[in-house]
């Protein structure tokens, strides 16, 4: 079984790379399904689950959410519940014995026993801000500085969450098999070569 | 012109990877030629040049070398001379306009204006010690601990020398386009995939 995990800096194009890589290799890609399953099994709203899991909880909640300690407490409990449900679901995926690509969610750590090929995608901050602006809905009005702050917040949260699960630090070369710089690169153009590298990694 | 630079942790197999990659791509590989040229143009003994350039000056000199300040001083001058001669030679190579692979020597920094594809090769310390032991001459009797110390010394020197030339730190993901973990990997097996990735990088 060949499992490829893609971890990434926010805005580096890692999700697109993961999706395209799975297409190129004709293997499964897991992303949205995880959110749906987690929402169902934790009995929470899907959009709410997505928002929290994708941003590691730093997403700007409506202020009413955090107005009382009781509410904050519920959020923390929900978050823990989601993480457990997510981990269960990821292990179930691996249990099927099929090849797949999975993006984020500390899958590299969670799936360690299956010897996944672990990729990390990064880019310089300007290029990450550009990618965020390119894909933002028209209604989103944020300055480059605000994007930068947001990107760094999300990445810090990702680093923190990984640190609960494993000693190897998030976003450091030593923690991954392959780190790719996507600065000024079209993701699509890298995929055929990356697919070939993955094939070499698994010994074809 | 496609230039590929390979930087590496000592013992990670980076040199082998660079050589094999150039064979796979049927392009030139520069290594020994640089030493010969530097020795000639700086009028120094080839073996002496190799030793110093390869280890960044931390190689265990016969003690007599460092016995007086005068001698230490000469070494420093020689070292600076070698670095300048090396840099000149590397720029001359690029001036030829042909594709090539070059290992080490801060080539990624020196050749920046030619937009090289910059690879960094790393591995965990145990696997690097194993590689050193595998390729050591029979006469070399060092403990694993001594190897570890030596590896770290050489890598620190490499990091220090890079810092003279550029702000981007040695051995950090952000400074390279692709970082490859060779822990427990046979270098040979990674090369076809890496060659394909390089082709993608340059847009074929």
């Amino acid at each position: 079984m060949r499992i490829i995990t893609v971890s990434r800096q926010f805005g580096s194009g890692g999700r697109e790379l993961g999706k395209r890589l799975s297409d190129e290799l004709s293997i499964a890609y897991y992303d949205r399904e995880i959110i749906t399953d987690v929402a169902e099994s934790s009995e929470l709203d899907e959009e709410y689950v997505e928002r929290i899991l994708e941003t590691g909880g730093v997403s700007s909640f409506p202020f009413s959410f955090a107005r009382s300690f009781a509410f904050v407490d519920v959020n923390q409990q929900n978050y823990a519940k989601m993480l457990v449900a997510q981990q269960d679901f990821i292990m179930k995926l691996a249990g099927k014995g099929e090849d797949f690509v999975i993006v984020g969610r500390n899958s590299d750590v969670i799936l360690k026993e299956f010897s996944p090929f672990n990729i990390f995608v990064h880019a310089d901050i300007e290029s990450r801000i550009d990618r965020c602006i390119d894909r933002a809905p028209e209604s989103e009005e944020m300055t480059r500085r605000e994007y930068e702050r947001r990107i760094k917040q999300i990445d810090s949260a990702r680093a923190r969450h990984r640190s609960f699960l494993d000693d190897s630090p998030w976003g450091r070369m030593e923690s991954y098999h392959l780190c790719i710089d996507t600065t000024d690169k079209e993701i699509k153009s890298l995929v055929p070569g990356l697919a070939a590298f993955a094939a070499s990694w698994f010994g074809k």
Side-chain angles (χ1 to χ4, degrees), chain A:
Chain A
M1 178 171 52
R2 301 173 305 167
I3 298 176
I4 301 175
T5 75
V6 181
S7 309
R8 77 288 190 209
Q9 290 180 335
F10 191 80
S12 67
R15 164 166 284 162
E16 181 187 343
L17 183 135
K19 178 72 182 85
R20 287 184 183 277
L21 181 60
S22 70
D23 289 343
E24 184 80 18
L25 293 169
S26 305
I27 63 178
Y29 171 74
Y30 290 109
D31 183 2
R32 186 80 212 169
E33 298 77 0
I34 299 175
I35 302 294
T36 310
D37 185 275
V38 167
E40 276 172 18
S41 69
S42 56
E43 297 176 334
L44 292 165
D45 176 67
E46 203 167 314
E47 201 187 326
Y48 172 73
V49 169
E50 179 169 26
R51 223 193 212 184
I52 297 191
L53 287 180
E54 287 311 299
T55 60
V58 296
S59 182
S60 45
F61 296 110
F63 271 110
S64 60
F65 263 65
R67 209 174 275 156
S68 77
F69 273 109
F71 263 114
V72 174
D73 197 46
V74 172
N75 282 343
Q76 290 299 90
Q77 280 188 22
N78 282 349
Y79 187 51
K81 226 200 259 184
M82 284 180 221
L83 288 182
V84 171
Q86 182 171 258
Q87 190 153 345
D88 286 350
F89 184 72
I90 291 171
M91 287 300 279
K92 257 196 297 180
L93 290 180
K96 290 203 240 168
E98 287 162 15
D99 299 345
F100 64 90
V101 174
I102 185 166
V103 173
R105 305 161 211 281
N106 292 310
S107 314
D108 56 329
V109 175
I110 294 170
L111 296 171
K112 207 179 260 181
E113 65 188 273
F114 300 98
S115 305
F117 171 43
N118 300 319
I119 299 172
F120 189 82
V121 184
H122 60 102
D124 72 16
I125 187 68
E126 295 306 324
S127 134
R128 288 154 67 202
I129 295 171
D130 289 343
R131 275 210 180 84
C132 288
I133 291 174
D134 281 352
R135 71 190 183 198
E138 283 226 5
S139 61
E140 196 170 88
E141 283 183 20
M142 278 168 70
T143 63
R144 291 187 74 84
R145 217 193 163 110
E146 284 165 340
Y147 273 114
E148 180 170 348
R149 206 173 134 256
R150 183 61 174 276
I151 287 170
K152 288 185 174 164
Q153 268 184 326
I154 293 176
D155 283 353
S156 305
R158 287 178 176 171
R160 208 164 49 245
H161 296 146
R162 186 191 173 98
S163 73
F164 294 147
L165 295 177
D166 201 73
D167 285 338
S168 68
W170 180 89
R172 288 281 293 280
M173 181 180 82
E174 292 77 6
S175 306
Y176 308 93
H177 298 126
L178 196 73
C179 300
I180 306 173
D181 180 2
T182 57
T183 305
D184 299 332
K185 283 281 168 189
E186 199 194 14
I187 300 295
K188 196 166 64 171
S189 70
L190 299 178
V191 169
L194 181 58
F197 190 91
S200 277
W201 188 267
F202 287 111
K204 293 266 152 93

